[in-house]
Amino acid sequence: MKEKLRTPVSQQPLTIEKPTLEDGIGSKVTVEINEKKVQVFFGQTILDACKENQIHVPTLCHHPDLCIAGTCRICVVEIEGMRTLQTSCSFPITAPIKIKTSSSMVRKARRHIIDLLLSEHYGECYSCVRNNNCELQTLAKEYGVDSYTFGHVTEPVFEQDLSSYSVIRDMNKCVNCRRCVRTCIDLQEVGVLEAIDRGDKTHIGTFLEKPLADVVCINCGQCINRCPTGALKANDPSDVIWNAIDDPTKHVVIQTAPSPRAAIGEVFGLEPGKSFTGEMNTALRRIGFDVVFDTNFTADLTIMEEGTELILRLYKALVKKEQVAIPQFTSCSPGWVKYLEHFYPEYIDNLSSAKSPQQMFGALIKTFYAQKKGIDPKDIVSVAVMPCAAKKFECNRPEMNDSGFKDVDFGLTTRELGQMIKEAGIYLPEMPPSHFDDPFGDASGAGLIFGATGGVMEAALRTVIELVTGKKVEDIFANADIIPLRGFEGIKYAELPITEVGPVPKILQHLVPDWNWLKGATLKVAVAHGTANAKKIMDDIKAGGKFSECHFIEFMACPGGCLGGGGQPIPTNEEIRKMRAKAIYDEDNSLPLRKSHENRHVAEIYDIFLTDGPCGHISHKLLHTHYVKRGKYIA
C-alpha cells in the first residue's frame, strides 16, 4: 500500500512508479526528443528522460530531493500536437510523443518567464550572499538577459525577518518556487512555511505571518540548502568574529566538526568527496585564530558520557526495577532536539542529558582550558565551525552557560567559513596540511564518523561492545566497521545479542558492580535521519510498536546526518551527500585510533579534571543539560 503523504495534493509526485520488470512488455516507450528516437521507462518524466540522454533542460522549482511542483514553468517543452507548452518536470511519458526542448517557442517562453521573475526580484547581485551561486542569476545569464524587459523593483516590498538565530528570510528575493515549502512539509515534516494568498499576491509566509523565532521552526536550515536564490540564508556572525580576531585582548579559539572538512572543498569549486582537515587547520591559523581544536575530541567525550548514561538507565530498569525513560534518544542534533521539544514534548525525558560535542567543548574551553592556560574566560571567544544552522540556535540557548559564561560564542557554517577563508585571500586546496593544537588535538575515528547518519550509534557501539564484553569490536565486525548502521535508508534497525560479558572497566566500577545482568540480553538500536523519518519512529513508539522496544535510538534532523546539514555547501543532493560520507569513512579508516574509550587524552581529562568519572557530579554540571517542553502552541 502506498504511503500517505502529508504534502499538499498539488505538490505530490505525478509520475507513475517504475515498472518492476524493466524489460517487460509495455515497460518502455519510444519517444522522439529533438528528432532523436530514444526509449524511456513508462511513466518517466520528460525531464528525467532528457537528463538520461544528456539533453539540458533548465529548472528552477525542481530539486532532486523534493517532490514535483511544476510551478516555475522554466522547464517547459514543446510536444507535437499539443496547443500549449508542457512542464517537463511533471509530464509523465505514457505514449509515443515528439518533444522539442529548444524550439523558438520554448526559448521565448523561458526568456519571458525569467524576465517576469526578475521584474519582481529586489536586490543587487554583487551584494547578495548567493552571488555566483544563484540559480536565477545563472538562468538570466544562460538566456542572455541584459535588461529588465518588464521593469525592476527598486524598493523592498517585504521587511527582512531577522528574528532567528539560525535563518534569515528576505522575501524580496523569493521567486515562489516553493522549494522551501516542500522541504519543510515533505522532507522534514515540520510545516513552518506555506504559500499564502493567491495570484500576484502569492508569497511564502509563516502562520499568521509570525517571525521564524516565534513559530515551530527547528532551525535545521534545510530550506536554505534548497532555496535557488538569496531569499533564505544563515545568520552569519563572521563580521563579529573578524572583530574578535583583530582585538589583541581576545583569545579566539575555534573548534571544527568533521562534516565541514568533508565538504569545504566544494566552496572552492572542487568535486565532493575529499577531506581537507589539515589544509583547513593551516588556513584557520593564517586567518588569525589563536588555536584550532578538533570537535571530535568531545565527540569521544560524548560517547563516554552518553554511553555511561545508557548503561545507568538500563541498570536502573533491569536491576533496580526503577521507572526510567527508555529508549534513550541521542541529543547531538539541535534541530532534532527542538523538533522533539515542539512535536513530542512528552518524550523529553528520553533525550540523553549529554550536551552535543559542540557544547561540551565550549564548557571545557572556558573552564579546563582557561585554567590550564591562565586565561580569563571572559577574554576567550569560542567559535565552532559546524555543518549546521541549528548549532547557531543551540549555542544561544540559555541552558548553555554552565561554564559561568556563554559556552560557545558563535557558530559558523561551512559556507561562512569558506567565505572567511576567501576573504583572507587564501585558496584552501593550496594550503600545506597541519595538525590540531594540544590539548584537544587528538581524537578517534569514532568521533569523526559522527558526521554521517548512523555514525553516533556506530561510535557508541564500538565502545559499548568492548567495555561490556571485554572483546575487541573487530572480532565481531570486520575492521570495526558496523556496516548495518551505515547507508542512507531513512530508518535502520539492528539487534546485538550479548552472549558473554567481561570485567567492568575501572572508569565505570563506581557505577555498576558487574555485567552479569546484561548477559543473555539483546541490545536493540535504531537510526533515523531527517525529521520526517524521526516522526515515523516517534509515532511507532507512541503506538507501542517495534521501536518502543529499542534501548538506544540515534536521531539526526538533516538528511544524511550532519554531512547534509543546513550550513553545508550548495547545491546538495543524495549523490553529493554520499560522496561526503565516503570522505568521512575514508578518513576514519586511515586513523590509528578509532574508538572513543581508547583516546588517552579523554582518559586524562577524567583523571585530572572530571575526577568523579563519566556522569559524575562535575561532568553533570559542565557536560549535561536539560531541555524545554515547548509544544506547538503559538502565542
Side-chain angles (χ1 to χ4, degrees), residues 214-226:
D214 293 342
V215 293
V216 295
C217 175
I218 64 171
N219 302 295
C220 68
Q222 290 302 311
C223 54
I224 302 174
N225 283 11
R226 288 161 186 81

Side-chain angles (χ1 to χ4, degrees), residues 409-420:
D409 294 296
F410 303 106
L412 270 179
T413 65
T414 309
R415 294 188 298 266
E416 291 160 356
L417 177 62
Q419 181 56 43
M420 287 185 73

Side-chain angles (χ1 to χ4, degrees), residues 118-266:
L118 289 172
S119 72
E120 297 180 341
H121 190 77
Y122 169 77
E124 296 292 342
C125 287
Y126 62 79
S127 61
C128 179
V129 70
R130 293 293 296 274
N131 188 24
N132 290 322
N133 189 19
C134 169
E135 293 178 44
L136 180 61
Q137 186 185 52
T138 300
L139 284 169
K141 183 178 180 180
E142 184 178 333
Y143 281 85
V145 175
D146 56 8
S147 61
Y148 296 115
T149 304
F150 302 114
H152 185 54
V153 178
T154 57
E155 295 293 331
V157 177
F158 300 96
E159 185 178 342
Q160 286 192 57
D161 181 358
L162 306 174
S163 65
S164 170
Y165 287 119
S166 301
V167 182
I168 290 177
R169 294 175 65 236
D170 184 358
M171 293 299 96
N172 297 292
K173 297 178 180 179
C174 178
V175 292
N176 280 327
C177 68
R178 293 167 172 77
R179 279 194 198 173
C180 59
V181 174
R182 286 175 283 149
T183 298
C184 201
I185 293 178
D186 186 44
L187 193 68
Q188 294 295 79
E189 284 274 15
V190 176
V192 164
L193 301 170
E194 185 54 282
I196 297 172
D197 285 334
R198 304 184 69 177
D200 63 353
K201 294 184 175 59
T202 302
H203 64 281
I204 308 302
T206 62
F207 177 71
L208 295 179
E209 303 289 3
K210 295 274 188 181
L212 277 181
D214 293 342
V215 293
V216 295
C217 175
I218 64 171
N219 302 295
C220 68
Q222 290 302 311
C223 54
I224 302 174
N225 283 11
R226 288 161 186 81
C227 177
T229 66
L232 293 161
K233 64 180 181 180
N235 199 336
D236 184 0
S238 56
D239 285 344
V240 185
I241 295 170
W242 279 122
N243 291 338
I245 289 172
D246 293 337
D247 186 343
T249 68
K250 298 299 180 184
H251 184 75
V252 188
V253 176
I254 190 163
Q255 55 165 303
T256 71
S259 293
R261 312 167 201 173
I264 196 165
E266 297 165 42

Side-chain angles (χ1 to χ4, degrees), residues 534-551:
K535 180 179 186 295
K536 293 174 185 176
I537 287 186
M538 293 308 302
D539 288 345
D540 179 86
I541 291 173
K542 287 185 75 171
K546 176 176 76 171
F547 294 106
S548 66
E549 299 176 1
C550 283
H551 303 104

Side-chain angles (χ1 to χ4, degrees), residues 64-86:
D65 288 337
L66 305 176
C67 60
I68 295 166
T71 56
C72 74
R73 324 305 288 179
I74 287 290
C75 70
V76 290
V77 295
E78 186 176 349
I79 300 176
E80 187 176 280
M82 291 194 174
R83 183 175 58 86
T84 59
L85 300 178
Q86 302 295 318

